[in-house]
Amino acid sequence: MPRSVNHVASRAKRKRILKLTRGYFGARKNVWTVAKNTWEKGLTYAYRDRRNKKRAFRSLWIQRINAAARLNGMSYSQLMGALAKAGIEINRKVLADLAMNNPEAFKAIVDKVKN
């Protein structure tokens, strides 16, 4: 009796991954083993960079807060320490947005913690 192989399922699996690698350069898009390895590596990069994106945004927010704080006569660390001491719970994302788009509101917060 001949060996039974499910060609339909295995071809569908290969086709699905080759479809995901469309647009890649050279053999990465159409050679099964290369495409599969590239696609798997891409998943690990995606996983890593979803975490690095959070790190990068936090860094950007800190830079923006620091720049705005220095315009108001404080450093970033002084401002964050004064906010904690004053009991003002406002996150860096919102502070950075205020610093960029609403400088007078940011100045009001800085003036409140200075006193």
Side-chain angles (χ1 to χ4, degrees), residues 88-106:
I88 299 173
E89 291 183 16
I90 185 167
N91 65 20
R92 288 165 181 80
K93 181 179 178 180
V94 173
L95 265 177
D97 186 57
L98 286 175
M100 289 288 291
N101 300 320
N102 202 344
E104 54 277 351
F106 186 83

Side-chain angles (χ1 to χ4, degrees), residues 65-81:
I65 294 166
N66 190 24
R70 287 181 187 277
L71 289 175
N72 290 297
M74 290 182 97
S75 71
Y76 169 79
S77 61
Q78 290 169 340
L79 174 65
M80 296 312 282

